[in-house]
Amino acid sequence: MLKQRLIRGADRYGKALGPRARVLVCQLPLAVVMAGVVLAAPAAWPSLPDSTWCRYALALQAALLAACVLIPWQRFGPLAPLAIPVLDLVAIGLLRDGTSAGLPDPGVLSVLPVVWISASRLSAAASVSLSFSVPLLAALPWLFADRAAPLAASTVEAVLVPLMMLAVSLAMRFARARLRHEQWRIQSKEAELEVLLAASREREQLLNTILDTVDVGIVAVDAAGRRLLTNSWQSHLEASAATSHRSAESAESPESAELPVEEGLLLLTGQDRNTPLPLERRPIRRALAGESFADYLVCFGDGSASRVLSTGARPLKDDAGDFRGAVVVFNEVTGLVDALAAKDEVVSTVSHEFRTPLTSIIGNLDLVLADTEGLDSPVTRRVEVAQRNAERLLALVSDLLMSASAAVHVHPRRTDLAGLVEASLGSAQAQAQAHRVCLAMDVPAPLWANVDPLRISQALDNLVSNAIKYSPDGGSVRISASTVDGLVRLQVADTGMGMTAADAGRVFTRFFRSPAVRDGSIPGAGLGLSITKAIVERHGGSISCRTRPGHGSTFTLEFPADGPPAAF
């Protein structure tokens, strides 16, 4: 990186200078040395100014310095300024013959013009030849003129400096070649980086366009809760959301300031949009805790201005599998929730309207059956059929009312679950005998848990009734229970017709009935399992189904033995 900066700096400096200034800068080092020799000569080398060759050398240097300034080099070719360093070598040769005792050999000054020649655009062969031949030719006259010194010594002295210059020129050429290679490599890397940067910017622009096009809010955070990305939909949602209603806990907690997106989130429980969402239940908080979830309903704001959102989260992990953050998605479902609420209100209203006349009908049928002395047997049987169907309609209306209820309310208390299971099996005994189904239980007595006995009994009755109903060819229904790690586990297993995996995934949806059940003309409205799921979830638990066509089904209920958490 430092080498690259130096190269760029030198290039910018060289381009900033004109042709004359560049030639003058290259000549200045030798001119300064020559000027120093002239200034020091009277004190250090008194005989030097008397040398004719020395005067010629200094005069030539002065002329070359003037030529650097006066000649318009831009009018000539790029190799024209090389005449200056060649003549510098001649001047140094003249100065060598005019030296006096005590003056170091000025031949070493040939390094300066040789560097100039080697750094020029001249070919490698030409620059190396000039760097060796010009100092050699400049020294030959003095080699043959000096008769006092031995020929061998004079030869070595004359040839040594040209050889040194040859070595310097070769080193410069190698250094220049390596520098060019490094420069080419750096330029190649820069070109690759520019291509990658352009591709990265294009991908970033494409990603931003996609994120801003989708009609869902997206928030990406790192492991510390700092935002990495927020799309425009989410920004607009946060800007327009009513955040006037904040819980005291969120207002006082310094941690809530780290996640301002969640300050206006309120818990959505049916029609209740005013209960503040606890900090630990907020979507981004849950995502930062490493949770992965979907279809978690919350709402921004309160009152009529609130907006209901379905949220989901997935963790971000690095190559080593360590947690690096999370992506949280916010999808507005206000219209859907309002539509469901309106539908539930219609169902509730219609069910209430049905309930009153049905109650009246059943009451009058009971009165008729209480006094059958004047009725024939066929008439009595018809009245009994009407009574059974009226009671069936009343049970269906009750299920509709419960399914349309905004919330299932539970009132937990210490209860023996073994007694509830035994009572549920006892109530279903007549239905089981009619379908030739054997009932069994494996529940330790007593099995204490903090539950709502009425609601758990209702859930058990729904599961047992379904197990018997969907075993049309007989079989067995078994209820087992146990306590594991503070959780109560209830299982209702049958050997009936079973379901496909696709049907099992929708079995807890309201009004869902599998094709096999519809084809078999098995009565029902598809509400029992959805009501059972709501009851179990209000106890802070969960329900699951394991099934296979022709091999029966097993429904498993799990809920805390100590009762539902406070949030429920």
Side-chain angles (χ1 to χ4, degrees), residues 508-523:
F508 298 107
T509 305
R510 283 189 297 175
F511 305 108
F512 173 76
R513 305 187 74 221
S514 67
V517 171
R518 292 196 300 269
D519 294 342
S521 300
I522 299 176

Side-chain angles (χ1 to χ4, degrees), residues 256-471:
S256 64
E258 299 176 6
L259 304 173
V261 62
E262 295 183 322
E263 290 184 2
L265 290 179
L266 305 176
L267 177 62
L268 177 63
T269 306
Q271 299 299 318
D272 181 11
R273 300 185 184 181
N274 295 316
T275 304
L277 190 68
L279 289 176
E280 66 277 4
R281 301 298 298 170
R282 295 182 177 183
I284 295 183
R285 299 273 180 170
R286 292 182 60 186
L288 288 176
E291 291 188 52
S292 179
F293 56 88
D295 296 329
Y296 179 55
L297 292 183
V298 296
C299 73
F300 274 103
D302 57 355
S304 60
S306 63
R307 303 171 68 177
V308 185
L309 305 172
S310 174
T311 64
R314 292 294 182 273
L316 295 174
K317 296 184 178 180
D318 56 17
D319 295 337
D322 296 330
F323 181 76
R324 303 294 296 173
V327 176
V328 185
V329 178
F330 296 81
N331 183 23
E332 185 172 4
V333 291
T334 306
L336 177 61
V337 171
D338 290 343
L340 291 175
K343 186 192 75 172
D344 290 342
E345 184 177 356
V346 171
V347 171
S348 178
T349 302
V350 172
S351 300
H352 273 294
E353 294 297 326
F354 281 166
R355 192 183 188 110
T356 301
L358 280 173
T359 304
S360 176
I361 291 172
I362 293 173
N364 283 279
L365 290 174
D366 287 339
L367 292 175
V368 172
L369 291 174
D371 185 10
T372 59
E373 292 182 359
L375 298 177
D376 297 334
S377 295
V379 174
T380 303
R381 286 196 298 272
R382 292 189 182 97
V383 173
E384 289 175 347
V385 169
Q387 183 190 40
R388 285 197 301 271
N389 283 279
E391 289 176 347
R392 180 180 171 188
L393 282 176
L394 184 60
L396 177 59
V397 167
S398 299
D399 287 343
L400 286 172
L401 282 173
M402 177 167 287
S403 68
S405 177
V408 176
H409 300 287
V410 297
H411 305 283
R413 65 174 183 268
R414 183 174 170 81
T415 305
D416 180 14
L417 293 179
L420 296 183
V421 172
E422 187 175 357
S424 178
L425 293 180
S427 300
Q429 192 65 43
Q431 182 187 5
Q433 289 177 355
H435 286 77
R436 303 189 310 278
V437 173
C438 178
L439 301 179
M441 62 178 287
D442 180 15
V443 180
L447 181 60
W448 298 102
N450 194 32
V451 297
D452 186 329
L454 179 61
R455 293 301 188 185
I456 294 298
S457 294
Q458 184 180 2
L460 288 173
D461 290 343
N462 286 337
L463 292 176
V464 173
S465 175
N466 282 348
I468 297 173
K469 188 186 340 181
Y470 298 135
S471 300

